């Protein structure tokens, strides 16, 4: 099977957007985060909202694509083998990240809001014992520990497990018909039909399941993310779908911008306090989400499906960068905030420092056979050392007398 460079590039770029988004979360006004800048920026709200309405949906769709290629590769994996391999690459980094990488984040948040006294060592002893903590000490204080930005890993594992259990049904004649129904959509059908499940979720689930990222109470989020994960699983190797997505890239982009403009107009015309207006805004967001994803897939297939020189490095670096980035951001905020720099200078230093920190630490991680699996990387393959042969230009040396 030919390598799909556009999918590899999309995966790297999607996670780069996640890092950029988390840097901006420190500054955007009116949005809660672990730490907040004393220089809130109101103008960031709409760019952040425009990104937020599809950024993680793209990540889960691309994750489904990647899993589909893995399942249908030259040596297809059985469902349990597929789940076992993904479990090692998802749950081991999650456990390590929660134990080693994440704890500085709740510590910095709890110190900033006055819930605990400074001192990372005493905090860690209390953290590893599960608390208890004052109410609101940090995000996830009621559980005693938190996975913060690593919530994506248990969610992806859950969807992988669900898909592995559903594989007999998905690969049955009825499942194949459902897949063909999606892949046969053309023109306006492809622009509208995949939105219908999202509209149903927004009608039936969204009013009752606010986003929590605690894995248990996220009924609406699970429905949306798993559906997009399944879309990715289905569309991966179908040439007809990708040709149609490429053909529809301009209409999809135009409709995405129209839906976003309508959503902005609705919010400015009527604050979303009324339940009916809020529901209409949610439906508009669903259309904007799918139009954006379809445009991204079409443009990526057209422009990114080539062996970029940076792609091999990015493919192996994206996972450690994801695990490391938010702790590096918060550590840099703790260092930079007391300096009271101009917000533009501080934001530039925060961005450059995050990239530099991720780059440096990932370079060390990639070289360490012990750290690689803890950051989701496959074990390094040691090059085989060929047996020594006599040089053709010189006769072999005689054996030593005492050999």
């Amino acid at each position: 099977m030919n390598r799909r460079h556009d999918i590899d590039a999309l995966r790297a770029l999607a996670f780069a957007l996640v890092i950029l988004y988390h840097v901006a979360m420190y500054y955007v006004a009116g949005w809660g985060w672990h730490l907040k800048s004393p220089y809130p920026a109101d103008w960031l709200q709409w760019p952040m909202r425009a990104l937020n309405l599809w950024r993680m949906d793209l990540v889960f769709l691309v994750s489904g694509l990647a899993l589909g290629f893995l399942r249908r590769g030259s040596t297809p994996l059985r469902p349990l083998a597929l789940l076992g391999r993904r479990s090692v690459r998802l749950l081991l980094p999650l456990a390590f990240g929660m134990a080693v990488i994440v704890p500085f984040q709740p510590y910095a948040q709890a110190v900033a809001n006055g819930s605990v006294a400074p001192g990372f060592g005493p905090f860690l002893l209390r953290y590893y014992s599960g608390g208890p903590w004052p109410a609101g000490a940090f995000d996830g204080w009621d559980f005693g520990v938190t996975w913060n930005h690593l919530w994506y890993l248990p969610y992806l594992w859950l969807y992988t497990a669900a898909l592995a259990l559903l594989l007999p049904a998905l690969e049955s004649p009825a499942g194949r018909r459902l897949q063909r129904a999606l892949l046969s959509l053309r023109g306006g059908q492809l622009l509208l039909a995949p939105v219908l499940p999202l509209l149903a979720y927004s009608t039936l689930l969204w009013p009752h399941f606010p986003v929590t990222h605690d894995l248990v109470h996220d009924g609406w989020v699970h429905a949306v993310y798993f559906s997009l994960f399944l879309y990715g699983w289905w569309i991966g190797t179908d040439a007809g779908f990708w040709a149609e997505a490429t053909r529809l890239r301009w209409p999809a982009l135009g409709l995405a911008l129209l839906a976003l403009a309508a959503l902005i107009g609705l919010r400015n015309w009527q604050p979303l306090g009324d339940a009916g207006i809020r529901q209409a805004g949610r439906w508009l967001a669903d259309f904007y989400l799918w139009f954006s994803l379809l445009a991204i897939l079409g443009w990526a297939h057209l422009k990114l499906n080539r062996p970029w020189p940076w792609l091999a490095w990015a493919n192996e670096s994206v996972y450690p960068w994801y695990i490391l980035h938010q702790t590096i951001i918060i550590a840099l905020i703790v260092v930079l905030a007391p300096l009271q720099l101009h917000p533009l200078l501080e934001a530039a230093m925060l961005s450059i420092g995050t990239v530099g920190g991720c780059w440096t630490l990932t370079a060390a991680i990639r070289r360490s056979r012990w750290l690689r699996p803890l950051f989701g990387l496959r074990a390094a393959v040691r090059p085989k050392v060929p047996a020594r042969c006599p040089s053709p230009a010189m006769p072999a040396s005689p054996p030593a007398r005492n050999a």
Side-chain angles (χ1 to χ4, degrees):
M1 183 181 298
N2 294 331
R3 185 82 184 184
R4 283 290 301 278
H5 304 293
D6 54 330
I7 305 305
D8 292 336
L10 261 183
R11 175 173 174 264
L13 294 175
F15 278 99
L17 279 177
V18 170
I19 295 173
L20 177 65
Y21 180 87
H22 285 153
V23 171
M25 279 297 292
Y26 177 55
Y27 295 100
V28 63
W31 292 19
W33 200 56
H34 313 292
L35 299 176
K36 295 300 293 184
S37 170
Y39 308 105
D42 291 310
W43 65 268
L44 269 175
Q45 286 194 5
W46 269 110
M48 290 285 284
R49 185 170 284 114
L51 181 62
N52 191 43
L53 288 173
W54 54 260
R55 64 182 182 91
M56 289 307 301
D57 307 87
L58 175 63
V59 169
F60 280 106
L61 188 146
V62 171
S63 298
L65 279 166
L67 193 67
F69 282 113
L70 182 64
R71 163 72 173 167
R72 303 179 187 100
S74 56
T75 54
L77 296 174
R78 296 177 181 236
L80 289 180
L82 183 71
L83 180 59
R85 177 181 291 189
R86 301 309 291 170
S87 295
V88 172
R89 296 198 67 193
L90 293 173
L91 299 184
L92 179 59
L94 174 64
F96 176 77
M98 289 180 64
V100 178
I101 306 299
V102 168
F104 186 79
Q105 299 180 35
Y107 166 72
Q109 185 177 359
V111 169
N113 63 33
S115 297
V116 302
F120 191 43
F123 174 87
L124 278 182
L125 293 176
R126 186 174 174 184
Y127 185 78
Y128 289 146
S129 63
W133 304 103
F138 54 84
D139 296 346
W141 66 272
D142 44 337
F143 294 97
V145 297
T146 181
W147 49 43
N148 274 7
H149 69 293
L150 299 184
W151 65 268
Y152 160 76
L153 299 180
Y155 279 56
L156 181 57
W157 181 87
L158 177 66
Y159 304 155
T160 304
L163 192 142
L165 293 174
L166 290 172
L167 269 180
L170 292 174
E171 296 180 347
S172 68
R176 299 287 189 189
R177 285 194 297 270
L178 188 60
Q179 181 182 10
R180 285 195 298 271
L182 173 66
L183 297 179
S184 64
L185 297 174
R186 295 293 182 266
Q189 295 175 334
L190 184 56
L191 287 165
L192 297 177
V195 186
L196 297 179
L198 308 183
L199 295 174
Y201 305 149
S202 291
T203 304
L204 301 174
L205 299 176
W206 176 71
H208 309 291
F209 293 96
V211 179
T212 64
H213 291 162
D214 68 0
L215 194 67
V216 178
H217 303 99
D218 256 350
W220 171 64
V221 161
H222 284 317
V224 174
Y225 286 161
F226 183 70
S227 293
L228 294 168
F229 181 76
L230 192 58
Y231 285 177
W233 168 269
W234 274 335
I235 68 177
T237 58
D238 187 78
F241 171 87
W242 289 99
E244 186 66 4
T246 303
R247 188 181 74 83
L248 293 174
R249 66 191 186 279
W250 279 114
L253 178 59
L255 288 170
L257 294 176
L258 284 176
L260 180 61
L263 188 57
I264 294 173
L266 183 65
R267 286 179 175 268
N268 290 336
W269 170 67
Q270 176 74 49
L272 298 186
D274 180 80
I277 300 296
R278 291 182 69 247
Q279 186 68 68
R282 181 61 254 166
W283 289 333
L284 270 174
D286 290 331
F287 282 106
Y288 168 67
L289 160 65
W290 176 246
F291 294 152
S292 299
L293 292 182
L294 189 59
I296 290 169
L297 293 177
W299 282 104
H301 190 58
L302 179 68
K303 299 293 185 180
L304 297 180
N305 196 17
R306 63 193 69 179
W308 299 95
W310 48 268
L311 206 48
W313 170 85
N315 273 334
E316 192 168 53
S317 299
V318 64
Y319 205 163
W321 278 54
Y322 162 70
I323 293 172
L324 293 166
H325 79 275
Q326 187 161 289
T327 296
I328 293 176
I329 290 170
I330 288 182
L332 288 171
I333 290 171
V334 171
V335 172
L336 294 174
L339 303 180
Q340 298 182 337
L341 302 172
H342 188 280
L344 291 179
L345 176 60
E346 182 188 67
M349 294 181 67
L350 186 57
S351 302
I352 294 170
T354 301
V355 171
C358 289
W359 194 302
T360 302
L361 291 174
T362 298
I365 291 163
R366 293 178 65 193
R367 289 193 294 266
S368 170
R369 56 183 296 216
W370 305 108
L371 291 177
R372 287 179 64 89
L374 299 177
F375 286 87
L377 302 181
R378 294 185 180 90
V381 178
R382 293 184 176 182
K384 294 182 179 180
V385 180
R388 289 190 176 184
C389 299
S391 169
M394 299 178 62
S397 299
R401 293 181 180 178
N402 297 328

